[in-house]
Amino acid sequence: MKINDILLEIKRQFQEEENFTAYGEPQAWIYLDNGRSIEVTHEEDGLDESDQFFTVRLYCTEAEFENQYFNKTIGVIDHCCSTNTSDVLNVDVLKSPLKNMLKINEIEKVKEVHNENLQG
């Protein structure tokens, strides 16, 4: 998935108001080909408009989580933030954080699940 396609999908999800956090903050989800996902949240709760920003989190696969590879971080492999923006549709500020998460996704290869019950 290319970065511009991801940005368009995030913007679409925000425009259509598809997802919100428990605090009512706009949220978008991108599902990667390797089973991992990226969560983008526009952080607004308790913040002045000038201090609002996006968080971008890379989550592990369901199998990685079930096998406790990332259970201490509740499935989060890594995260980063954008520069401040009060405009939830200003997804251009997400370009650098998204590139970072995609790079981490490539570096941190999907952990293979080993089942000891499977034998040759």
Side-chain angles (χ1 to χ4, degrees):
M1 191 176 253
K2 295 182 180 181
I3 206 76
N4 288 334
D5 295 333
I6 293 172
L7 291 170
L8 286 173
E9 175 58 17
I10 291 168
K11 189 171 188 173
R12 184 197 66 74
Q13 288 183 40
F14 286 147
Q15 285 174 325
E16 295 183 13
E17 299 179 345
E18 286 188 11
N19 300 298
F20 292 91
T21 67
Y23 297 106
E25 298 166 317
Q27 186 179 60
W29 287 92
I30 301 298
Y31 299 97
L32 304 175
D33 292 338
N34 64 2
R36 290 180 174 165
S37 57
I38 295 175
E39 172 199 12
V40 177
T41 302
H42 189 247
E43 303 291 342
E44 302 172 347
D45 187 55
L47 298 173
D48 291 335
E49 280 191 21
S50 62
D51 294 330
Q52 295 176 359
F53 62 97
F54 290 101
T55 55
V56 181
R57 293 178 185 90
L58 174 64
Y59 283 90
C60 66
T61 67
E62 197 171 310
E64 287 174 316
F65 187 75
E66 288 173 1
N67 285 282
Q68 302 181 0
Y69 288 116
F70 297 100
N71 65 331
K72 290 182 181 179
T73 59
I74 314 169
V76 176
I77 297 171
D78 206 344
H79 70 282
C80 58
C81 300
S82 73
T83 56
N84 291 2
T85 180
S86 62
D87 183 1
V88 70
L89 298 180
N90 183 13
V91 297
D92 286 337
V93 300
L94 290 167
K95 195 172 265 189
S96 178
L98 284 170
K99 284 181 180 178
N100 188 35
M101 288 302 99
L102 293 172
K103 187 175 185 178
I104 297 293
N105 184 52
E106 288 299 315
I107 292 169
E108 184 69 41
K109 297 291 183 192
V110 172
K111 309 270 188 237
E112 291 189 30
V113 178
H114 299 285
N115 188 340
E116 294 175 2
N117 296 328
L118 294 176
Q119 296 181 0

